[in-house]
Amino acid sequence: MLILQLLSDPGLGHCNRIIRYSRTEYAKMEQSIILVPDCRKIIAYLTNQKVHNFLIYSVHKPLQELIQLLENKLDFKEIKEWIIDTKLDCSDLLYLLKKRKVFSTLIDNKTDSRFLSNKNIYPTPLFEKSELDWVGYNGIVEGGFDTDILRSLSSLKKKHKQKKKQRKEVLISFGGEDPNQLTNYTMKSLFRLETEVEITVVIGPLFRHKKEIQELNVELEKRYKFIENSFDLSQFILNADCLITAVGATIFEGLVLGTPCIVISNFLSDNLDEKKLEKMNNVSVLGYYANVFKNNNFLLDEVREILNGPI
């Protein structure tokens, strides 16, 4: 039995990783339960993705209540591995698991919690072990494409076939939330892109500005097509001639599927990841969004260059 846990920072990136992990061959063989904080939007998203093997718990209650919740469902000795996807410090939980002799795995965690975990996974090709201090740690560290999560992405290219098409396509996808509304800025910037190019916008399940996007599309003569409620964008990414996205999981799908990518960052703190992305093939890094959108032509010219001009 595998336990897959989200903590009190259950963004869509964490959620999607846990879903992908639960669908790996390893997880299917062992069976799994996903522990989900009592967050209405995340619960609705899991249900929409036909994920039913989850238990809802409160992050505000003592850890012992979480343990009791599980013990009501299964024998603790059946737990082969407890996997936690969080950027938060979860030392108390890891101490408890260590005491109960449960093998623990942390995903994408850079806090000191990682020293208490039996295994640390960093499912990003940008991972460099030397960036963190591992002195005294004797556990397992995995990163880059050599992880089950990213290997599952690699199988997508075999699963899908690129469709035959008459028009070039641009895909705009800024994750599940798009906190700085980069979708709106991008739509305005690309309005003057040649009409022969099809432009599709992904509306994430946690977008708070869905209505504004739809209204903007009306103002822009309904130039854009929309995709909603899609967990797996791989077919759309594979078909696109250009993917516009932020620093995050979507860019890795683009890299795996061989789609040229334009990256616009949400935060100034993304600069370290940007420097690594600049060294990769098929990636154009434009930088921090507030600078990118000062000039509408900046993004437009980059897209035109990737598409090799008008069709």
Side-chain angles (χ1 to χ4, degrees):
M1 174 65 70
L2 300 183
I3 303 300
L4 306 167
Q5 185 177 4
L6 296 167
L7 295 189
S8 57
D9 58 336
L12 209 62
H14 298 288
C15 193
N16 281 339
R17 274 201 301 255
I18 285 292
I19 293 174
R20 286 194 190 281
Y21 206 104
S22 72
R23 291 173 178 171
T24 60
E25 289 304 314
Y26 169 58
K28 288 177 182 177
M29 286 173 58
E30 297 295 335
Q31 296 188 316
S32 60
I33 293 175
I34 302 175
L35 296 176
V36 186
D38 193 357
C39 173
R40 181 175 54 83
K41 288 185 177 180
I42 293 296
I43 293 166
Y45 182 67
L46 288 170
T47 304
N48 187 54
Q49 301 307 321
K50 297 181 171 54
V51 177
H52 305 296
N53 57 325
F54 63 85
L55 281 177
I56 302 168
Y57 75 99
S58 172
V59 296
H60 304 295
K61 292 184 178 179
L63 281 175
Q64 196 53 49
E65 291 199 21
L66 172 61
I67 300 303
Q68 188 62 55
L69 178 68
L70 272 177
E71 288 184 325
N72 291 338
K73 294 284 183 180
L74 52 85
D75 184 343
F76 230 73
K77 294 178 182 177
E78 295 177 2
I79 300 174
K80 183 174 181 179
E81 186 175 359
W82 190 304
I83 301 160
I84 308 164
D85 192 324
T86 183
K87 294 185 183 299
L88 303 175
D89 188 295
C90 53
S91 299
D92 290 347
L93 173 57
L94 290 167
Y95 271 124
L96 191 151
L97 296 178
K98 197 177 187 73
K99 188 176 180 181
R100 299 291 294 262
K101 297 182 179 178
V102 176
F103 188 93
S104 60
T105 296
L106 272 180
I107 298 178
D108 201 21
N109 192 295
K110 295 182 180 179
T111 73
D112 286 345
S113 297
R114 69 189 193 279
F115 288 99
L116 297 170
S117 184
N118 298 101
K119 184 177 181 180
N120 284 277
I121 298 175
Y122 298 89
T124 163
L126 306 181
F127 172 69
E128 293 179 12
K129 186 177 178 180
S130 60
E131 289 184 349
L132 295 172
D133 177 14
W134 294 100
V135 175
Y137 182 70
N138 298 315
I140 302 165
V141 180
E142 292 182 359
F145 282 109
D146 189 28
T147 63
D148 285 338
I149 298 169
L150 287 191
R151 274 196 292 266
S152 70
L153 287 182
S154 299
S155 66
L156 296 176
K157 199 163 188 177
K158 299 175 184 176
K159 175 183 173 184
H160 299 303
K161 291 184 179 179
Q162 196 163 20
K163 72 176 184 180
K164 294 180 180 179
K165 55 187 182 180
Q166 301 298 317
R167 306 171 67 187
K168 290 192 176 179
E169 298 179 15
V170 173
L171 182 67
I172 301 168
S173 177
F174 287 107
E177 299 178 73
D178 189 16
N180 292 316
Q181 302 191 10
L182 305 194
T183 301
N184 308 51
Y185 289 115
T186 302
M187 288 172 64
K188 292 174 184 176
S189 293
L190 298 189
F191 175 61
R192 290 186 292 108
L193 186 64
E194 288 67 29
T195 55
E196 293 86 355
V197 178
E198 186 175 285
I199 312 176
T200 302
V201 173
V202 179
I203 296 179
L206 303 184
F207 274 31
R208 295 181 177 180
H209 52 300
K210 173 181 172 180
K211 184 178 179 182
E212 288 90 333
I213 289 171
Q214 292 171 329
E215 290 173 350
L216 177 61
N217 194 37
V218 174
E219 290 177 29
L220 299 177
E221 302 172 9
K222 297 185 178 179
R223 175 69 177 88
Y224 300 91
K225 291 171 55 180
F226 294 128
I227 298 170
E228 295 186 61
N229 302 317
S230 178
F231 166 70
D232 185 357
L233 292 174
S234 52
Q235 183 67 69
F236 300 103
I237 294 172
L238 182 63
N239 290 333
D241 298 283
C242 175
L243 168 65
I244 303 172
T245 188
V247 176
T250 305
I251 186 72
F252 307 140
E253 290 194 54
L255 288 169
V256 169
L257 296 169
T259 301
C261 302
I262 293 175
V263 180
I264 302 168
S265 58
N266 272 295
F267 310 104
L268 289 170
S269 57
D270 288 331
N271 64 329
L272 290 177
D273 285 342
E274 287 176 340
K275 289 176 182 176
K276 296 175 186 176
L277 286 167
E278 285 172 349
K279 299 175 184 177
M280 297 185 175
N281 295 328
N282 257 5
V283 180
S284 299
V285 178
L286 300 193
Y288 183 52
Y289 81 97
N291 298 324
V292 171
F293 294 115
K294 285 178 180 178
N295 179 355
N296 280 342
N297 289 332
F298 186 24
L299 175 59
L300 180 62
D301 290 345
E302 191 66 33
V303 172
R304 281 177 170 156
E305 185 175 334
I306 287 176
L307 298 178
N308 201 23
I311 298 172

